[in-house]
Structures are given as C-alpha cells and as structure tokens.
C-alpha cells in the first residue's frame, strides 16, 4: 500500500501563565492508503493536539508548532501557505470532531453546511451540490434525507448530528478521515451504530482513517494498527492483535486491565492506574510514567526511553519488560 501521510518529529507547545506546556513531544508515525490507525490514551495525552497540529488547526497563539514535518503525498503540510492548507483541509483530509453540536453552525441549515465544501473544493453548482448532499445523507443512514436539508442542527438528535458531521467530512471524497473521539458524547447504542457506519464506509470507500479515542474497546473492532500516547509521547505502537495479546508498556497494560470483560468467569475488581499524568511545563529527562509505574527501575529516573523494536512492527518506549519485570 502507498504511504499517504508521514509525520516526523512533530512538536507542539502552548504558552500559558504557568509557563510553556510541551503538549506534543517528537511524535512520528505514518499512514497508508486504506489503513485504520487507532490513537489511544487518556485525556490530555496529546492525541487530539497531534492531529490538529498536522492540519494546522492549533490556535496560534497560545499554541505553536515548533518542530517536525507532516508529509502528505510528498508535500509538508506544516510548510504550506494558509491558502494551500485550506485546499487540503476538507478536500483531501477531513476531520470529524468530538461534539457535533459545537462543530455545526447553529444558524445555518445542514444542507447549506454540507454543500459548502462541495462548491468550494469541487466547484459544484447549488443544484449539483443539493443532489450530492442528499446522496451523502442517505449514505450515512439519515432517514428521509431529502426532507431534512432545511433543518437546523438543534432539530437533530446527537447521533443524527454526528452522522451529519460524517457526511460533511465525506463530501469531497477525502483520502484521510480524522475522527476525534466522535462517539464520546453519545450513548452506547448510538456509539455502536456510528462505529458500524464507519466500518461500512471504510470498506465501501476505502479511505484511510485515524480514529482518536480513549476507549481501547472501540479500537479493537475498528483499527488495524494502534498507537498509544502518554504525556505527549508515543509510548507503544503495534498491530491491534499484537498489542492486546502482548502489551509491552506498563501504561498499555494498565489501560487493557481497566477494560471490563463479559467472558470473565472470575469476579474481580477492574485494575486502575493510580496517580495523575505529569504537568509538562518542562520536557522530562526521565520516563514521564515513572510516578505511576510499579515496574520502575533506577534508569527510569535519569533517562527518558525512546521507542525500540520489541517484535515485528511492534515498538515500545520502556526500559523494563512488564511481562517479566526484567530490564530490557
């Protein structure tokens, strides 16, 4: 498969009254055609900021992209002019945000909102765009699509609004869809419907997807490859099956241990990860997970581990093998 996106050494910082927050610290990853990449981690670990940085959607100030490259089809998104990046956003790389109510304009009909990128990026007339909007709404499973074009966002339920957001993202047949926790604000039934919809669209359209979430359960049934983030770093990356069967970082082990399992015969408490993530006013010269890690050794206090190969297409940033408790 052809490589679509290659991010190298991405660094993003935010200027706050407390100091400079190092939100993303040297993130590197790639994405191939038709691939689904899951990005997981708890709130504040840098998942969303990384992807917003790639699309140059970080508010500047207080945010600032201070390093790295994001090569899309050989061109660096971070070095493009404002006009050039606008042609990419929505046209070639689309994003679905976490809360559809705040992402949709409340005073513009959904028909006009979906038609806008069609006219802007594809040069369609109003009539052509209207036909395409109806097709898109039918594609994402919105009932009576042709009757809802003049409705406003508040007239839709949360699940329907998210379907509208997905339709808008798919409008220009993008090569990459970035989904930023699109099911977090929805109840579990609607979550399942949205995930099934994305799976179907993935198979029918064949676009590459970056799915950002804190829910490893969702990633298991959707992604092919998963990237675990913590404190602005990628701390583990592997194929989904490999990661779930053989996690090689204590943080990943903790995330998996906190998942409820319906097939468990024993009645045991769910595992939890004690403590809090670090406040990254300074880039740590030690492992950022050390205060919450039961496997920590002396080296963890003096050196921040880099990603190393621990198996086929499996990398982790840890000085200790959590499966054996021994130093690597």
């Amino acid at each position: 498969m052809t490589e679509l996106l290659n991010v190298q050494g991405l660094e993003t910082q935010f200027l706050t009254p407390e100091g400079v927050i190092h939100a993303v610290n040297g993130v590197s990853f790639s994405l191939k055609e038709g691939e689904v990449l899951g990005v997981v981690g708890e709130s504040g670990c840098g998942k969303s900021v990384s992807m917003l940085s790639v699309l140059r959607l970080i508010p500047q100030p207080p945010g600032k992209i201070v390093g790295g490259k994001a090569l899309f089809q050989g061109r660096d998104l971070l070095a493009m002019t404002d006009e050039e990046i606008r042609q990419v956003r929505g046209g070639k790389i689309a994003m679905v945000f976490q809360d559809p109510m705040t992402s949709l304009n409340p005073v513009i009909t959904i028909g006009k909102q979906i038609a806008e990128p069609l006219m802007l990026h594809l040069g369609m007339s109003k009539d052509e765009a209207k036909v395409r909007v109806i097709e898109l709404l039918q594609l994402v499973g919105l009932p009576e699509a042709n009757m809802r074009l003049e409705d406003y966002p508040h007239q839709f339920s949360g699940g329907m609004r998210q379907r509208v957001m997905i339709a808008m993202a798919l409008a220009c047949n993008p090569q990459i869809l970035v989904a930023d926790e699109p099911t977090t604000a929805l109840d579990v039934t609607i979550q399942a419907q949205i995930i099934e919809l994305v799976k179907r669209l993935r198979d029918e359209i064949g676009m590459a997807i970056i799915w950002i979430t804190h829910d490893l359960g969702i990633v298991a049934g959707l992604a092919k490859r998963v990237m675990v983030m913590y404190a602005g770093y990628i701390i583990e990356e592997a194929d989904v099956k490999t990661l779930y069967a053989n996690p090689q970082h204590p943080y990943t082990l903790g995330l998996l241990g906190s998942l409820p399992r319906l097939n468990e015969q024993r009645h045991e408490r769910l595992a939890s990860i004690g403590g809090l993530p670090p406040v990254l006013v300074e880039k740590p010269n030690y492992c950022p997970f050390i205060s919450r890690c039961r496997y920590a050794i002396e080296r963890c206090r003096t050196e921040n581990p880099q990603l190393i190969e621990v198996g086929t297409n499996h990398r982790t940033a840890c000085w200790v093998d959590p499966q054996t408790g021994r130093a690597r």
Side-chain angles (χ1 to χ4, degrees):
M1 291 187 289
T2 306
E3 187 176 81
L4 276 180
L5 181 66
N6 189 316
V7 176
Q8 304 169 4
L10 179 66
E11 291 191 40
T12 303
Q13 299 174 358
F14 289 89
L15 182 62
T16 71
E18 289 75 30
V20 176
I21 302 297
H22 298 77
V24 178
N25 300 305
V27 164
S28 299
F29 66 92
S30 62
L31 184 72
K32 296 180 180 178
E33 287 183 348
E35 183 181 26
V36 181
L37 171 66
V39 184
V40 302
E42 62 195 286
S43 298
C45 71
K47 309 183 300 295
S48 299
V49 174
S50 295
M51 302 311 155
L52 290 170
S53 298
V54 168
L55 287 173
R56 302 254 300 279
L57 289 172
I58 294 293
Q60 300 186 49
K64 186 177 182 181
I65 301 166
V66 297
K69 294 181 179 180
L71 302 175
F72 174 66
Q73 297 180 326
R75 297 184 66 199
D76 187 2
L77 299 174
L78 305 184
M80 287 182 176
T81 64
D82 290 344
E83 181 58 36
E84 288 172 333
I85 194 67
R86 274 196 290 268
Q87 295 302 315
V88 173
R89 286 195 302 248
K92 297 179 180 179
I93 305 176
M95 191 161 187
V96 179
F97 296 94
Q98 183 171 344
D99 185 357
M101 196 60 207
T102 56
S103 302
L104 291 166
N105 191 319
V107 296
I108 299 178
T109 63
I110 61 107
K112 286 184 179 179
Q113 292 191 59
I114 300 174
E116 183 179 10
L118 293 169
M119 293 186 285
L120 179 65
H121 292 290
L122 302 183
M124 288 187 179
S125 66
K126 284 188 176 181
D127 290 338
E128 290 171 333
K130 182 178 179 180
V131 173
R132 177 60 177 155
V133 169
I134 294 171
E135 290 176 355
L136 288 163
L137 291 176
Q138 290 172 338
L139 180 66
V140 298
L142 198 74
E144 300 179 326
N146 60 323
M147 307 289 288
R148 306 300 305 265
L149 299 185
E150 299 303 316
D151 288 348
Y152 291 87
H154 72 270
Q155 295 174 271
F156 293 82
S157 68
M160 286 184 175
R161 284 196 294 267
Q162 200 58 280
R163 290 173 188 268
V164 170
M165 285 296 299
I166 293 172
M168 192 183 302
L170 297 177
C172 299
N173 297 316
Q175 292 164 281
I176 300 174
L177 175 67
V178 181
D180 186 5
E181 303 199 44
T183 61
T184 298
L186 308 176
D187 65 59
V188 290
T189 306
I190 305 302
Q191 277 189 23
Q193 292 175 5
I194 296 296
I195 292 165
E196 285 303 314
L197 167 64
V198 172
K199 285 182 183 179
R200 177 168 62 82
L201 295 174
R202 173 197 64 189
D203 296 336
E204 290 179 3
I205 301 173
M207 73 177 75
I209 299 171
I210 299 175
W211 188 280
I212 304 168
T213 183
H214 59 266
D215 190 338
L216 278 163
I218 290 175
V219 170
L222 183 65
K224 178 183 178 183
R225 189 161 55 92
V226 62
M227 192 167 79
V228 183
M229 290 192 66
Y230 185 79
Y233 295 91
I234 298 173
I235 53 98
E236 188 161 8
E237 182 182 8
D239 294 336
V240 168
K241 289 183 179 179
T242 302
L243 188 91
Y244 281 66
N246 186 31
Q248 288 293 309
H249 195 283
Y251 180 62
T252 311
L253 205 62
L255 289 179
L256 290 170
S258 66
L259 284 177
R261 290 174 171 77
L262 295 177
N263 60 348
E264 284 286 350
Q265 298 299 315
R266 296 168 296 174
H267 298 284
E268 296 181 352
R269 283 183 175 273
L270 293 176
S272 62
I273 304 173
L276 295 170
V279 178
L280 296 173
V281 177
E282 294 182 359
K283 284 182 73 172
N285 55 6
Y286 51 86
C287 175
F289 190 62
I290 187 170
S291 64
R292 310 171 75 185
C293 183
R294 58 194 174 100
Y295 300 97
I297 59 176
E298 189 58 35
R299 190 178 186 185
C300 305
R301 305 178 193 283
T302 59
E303 193 175 349
N304 193 349
Q306 302 298 307
L307 285 168
I308 58 170
E309 295 283 342
V310 291
T312 305
N313 298 322
H314 191 174
R315 301 187 302 160
T316 190
C318 186
W319 299 125
V320 180
D321 182 344
Q323 301 291 351
T324 64
R326 298 174 183 171
R328 297 188 190 279

